[in-house]
């Protein structure tokens, strides 16, 4: 069997980028059971309510929904079990120190396979206020309108 190459995206948490200001990102491995891997290979997962908790110098991923494998038997996993994250000691120490600050949390951004291994991209993030979210949306709309105006001018020049 040929070894997989590259990155295959399984799930993304777009809401996290809207609700939080991303300070720093990390790539972590996941400790999974066999049926979880098979379910992920089918492209089924949800990161919406997920978060990372640091306990006893270990990182744990909570509330990530990986549905049960359809052909699984009694060995099937529970859909929302906590999963251990594989990070370097320095990364865990850095995350532990930063997450103690007020308003900081660790959220999963995306779940993917990298060269055949399941990885999760986590981010140290700070919660945005409601007016920050509105400001971000306004900037995005302004950028989109400017691009539309530029493309309209270019179309007129070509014609």
């Amino acid at each position: 069997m040929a070894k997989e190459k590259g990155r295959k995206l399984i799930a993304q948490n777009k809401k996290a980028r809207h609700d939080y200001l991303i300070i720093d990102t990390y790539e972590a491995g996941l400790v999974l059971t066999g049926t979880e891997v098979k379910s992920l290979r089918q492209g089924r997962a949800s990161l919406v309510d997920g978060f990372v908790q640091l306990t006893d110098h270990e990182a744990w991923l909570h509330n990530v929904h990986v549905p049960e494998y359809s052909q699984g038997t009694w060995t099937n996993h529970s859909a929302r079990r906590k999963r251990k994250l594989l990070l370097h000691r320095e990364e865990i120490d850095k995350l532990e120190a930063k997450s103690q600050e007020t308003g900081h949390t660790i959220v999963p951004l995306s779940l993917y396979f990298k060269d055949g291994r399941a990885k999760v991209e986590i981010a140290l993030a700070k919660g945005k206020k409601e007016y920050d979210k509105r400001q971000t949306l306004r900037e995005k709309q302004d950028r989109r309108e400017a691009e539309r105006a530029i493309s309209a001018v270019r179309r007129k020049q070509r014609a």
Side-chain angles (χ1 to χ4, degrees), residues 22-139:
I22 306 301
I23 297 168
D24 203 4
T25 61
Y26 299 90
E27 181 182 70
L30 281 163
V31 176
L32 299 172
T33 63
T35 55
E36 285 176 317
V37 175
K38 289 182 178 190
S39 185
L40 288 177
R41 289 207 188 279
Q42 292 178 338
R44 302 168 60 206
S46 174
L47 299 172
V48 175
D49 297 327
F51 65 95
V52 176
Q53 191 172 36
L54 300 168
T55 51
D56 297 329
H57 302 291
E58 291 182 338
W60 295 89
L61 185 63
H62 292 267
N63 276 359
V64 171
H65 186 265
V66 178
E68 290 185 351
Y69 182 56
S70 55
Q71 279 86 40
T73 57
W74 58 273
T75 59
N76 237 336
H77 62 280
S78 62
R80 288 202 183 266
R81 75 175 190 93
K82 68 178 188 175
R83 294 162 180 91
K84 187 174 180 178
L85 295 178
L86 303 172
L87 289 162
H88 291 283
R89 171 66 48 214
E90 303 87 49
E91 292 174 333
I92 292 174
D93 292 341
K94 197 181 297 184
L95 281 170
E96 223 166 5
K98 292 281 190 176
S99 66
Q100 298 298 322
E101 295 176 21
T102 309
H104 286 78
T105 187
I106 307 166
V107 293
L109 297 179
S110 61
L111 187 61
Y112 54 92
F113 282 107
K114 182 178 177 185
D115 297 334
R117 300 183 188 273
K119 303 281 185 181
V120 64
E121 182 181 23
I122 59 173
L124 179 67
K126 187 170 183 166
K128 282 186 183 176
K129 303 281 189 236
E130 195 62 39
Y131 58 85
D132 288 334
K133 294 178 192 176
R134 284 194 297 265
Q135 181 67 27
T136 305
L137 285 173
R138 194 173 300 117
E139 289 170 1

Side-chain angles (χ1 to χ4, degrees), residues 142-159:
D142 292 344
R143 228 182 352 263
R144 191 177 300 139
E145 286 174 12
E147 288 172 4
R148 282 185 187 145
I150 290 169
S151 64
V153 168
R154 287 183 181 154
R155 265 183 279 160
K156 284 182 182 179
Q157 288 175 349
R158 278 189 237 137

